[in-house]
């Protein structure tokens, strides 16, 4: 089955710790994205990558970092600098160009920091 | 990107058509209308998109008015599994805002038995 996997589904961390969220896709898509969703709110873009070894900041990149060493993988690190990290994190992928807005999403990781 | 306006919530009886409206009165000529939905605690799912012609796929139909200032997503035979938040998004293909989807509050559709 082609798709996007995110692990784990639930993640708990203590304040002050960095945590890395996994995102893997086997859709052969060039572009990948990370979004954050807070309760009752829409999604906000954190980072995106159009191609391997390249990525761009989204609207709320502060306190986050990413890497794109392989086409299939786009891990997101939530650093201790992120002031309010508890949220639902969603990874997506797409083909470039006109299809860039037809994004396929993973099941999400719910991060709780206490 | 053009701003969109959707009703916060709608109800629909199972088996009936669900018609979800979206206003985008400031839409530009090169902007597409995209629809996504998000079932509770899952990732959003792409449904359909269109520029000016009506579109239909296996999930839904998209009707765009002739002046393109509004559109309606139609789920022809709603089921309980269609209960979700539906997002209407207007984007120009390509350009500097590559891939940057902006999700508003959307419409919570509740399908009743």
């Amino acid at each position: 089955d082609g798709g996007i996997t995110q692990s784990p589904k639930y993640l708990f961390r203590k304040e002050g710790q960095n945590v890395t969220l996994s995102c893997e896709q086997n859709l052969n898509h060039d572009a990948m994205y990370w979004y954050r969703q807070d309760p009752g709110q829409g999604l906000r873009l954190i980072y995106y990558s159009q191609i391997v070894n390249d990525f761009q900041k989204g609207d709320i990149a502060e306190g986050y970092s990413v890497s794109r060493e392989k086409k299939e993988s786009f891990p997101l690190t939530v650093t201790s600098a992120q002031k309010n990290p508890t949220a639902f994190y969603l990874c997506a992928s797409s083909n470039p160009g006109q299809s860039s807005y037809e994004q396929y999403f993973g099941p999400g990781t719910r991060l709780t920091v206490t | 990107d053009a701003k969109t306006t959707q009703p916060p919530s709608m109800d629909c009886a199972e088996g009936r058509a669900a018609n979800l409206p979206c206003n985008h009165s400031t839409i530009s000529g090169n902007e597409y209308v995209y629809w996504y939905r998000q079932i509770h605690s899952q990732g959003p799912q792409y449904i359909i998109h269109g520029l000016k012609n009506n579109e239909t796929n296996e999930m839904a139909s998209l009707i765009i008015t002739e002046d393109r200032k509004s559109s309606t997503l139609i789920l022809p035979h709603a089921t309980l599994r269609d209960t979700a938040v539906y997002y209407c998004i207007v984007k120009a293909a390509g350009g500097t805002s590559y891939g940057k989807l902006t999700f508003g509050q959307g419409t919570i559709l509740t399908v009743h038995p």
Side-chain angles (χ1 to χ4, degrees), chain B residues 18-92:
Chain B
N19 298 289
L20 292 95
C22 180
N23 284 324
H24 31 78
S25 58
T26 60
I27 192 170
S28 301
N30 65 341
E31 289 183 315
Y32 288 73
V33 180
Y34 289 82
W35 283 85
Y36 280 78
R37 73 179 183 184
Q38 185 176 23
I39 295 170
H40 183 62
S41 293
Q42 296 183 23
Q45 177 187 23
Y46 164 80
I47 301 173
I48 198 168
H49 76 279
L51 183 62
K52 51 185 176 182
N53 297 323
N54 297 338
E55 303 287 344
T56 296
N57 62 20
E58 64 279 2
M59 287 184 67
S61 294
L62 174 60
I63 308 297
I64 302 175
T65 58
E66 196 167 335
D67 62 7
R68 303 186 71 238
K69 293 183 186 299
S70 66
S71 60
T72 301
L73 178 75
I74 301 172
L75 308 178
H77 305 286
T79 71
L80 299 178
R81 288 179 295 180
D82 292 321
T83 292
V85 181
Y86 286 78
Y87 298 100
C88 170
I89 301 167
V90 171
K91 293 294 295 189

Side-chain angles (χ1 to χ4, degrees), chain A residues 3-4 25 27 29-36 43-50 74 90-106, chain B residues 34-37 43-49 89 91-92 94 97-103:
Chain A
I4 298 179
Q25 56 103 356
L27 299 167
H29 285 167
D30 286 315
M32 296 186 74
Y33 313 83
W34 274 105
Y35 293 87
R36 168 188 172 131
L43 281 68
R44 292 183 289 167
L45 183 66
I46 304 173
Y47 267 99
Y48 66 101
S49 168
Q50 297 182 38
F74 190 40
L90 288 152
C91 178
S93 71
S94 73
N95 279 321
Q98 188 173 316
S99 299
S100 66
Y101 304 118
E102 297 173 42
Q103 295 180 11
Y104 294 81
F105 284 80
Chain B
Y34 289 82
W35 283 85
Y36 280 78
R37 73 179 183 184
Q45 177 187 23
Y46 164 80
I47 301 173
I48 198 168
H49 76 279
I89 301 167
K91 293 294 295 189
S97 64
Y98 177 95
K100 291 170 70 172
L101 288 171
T102 301
F103 288 78

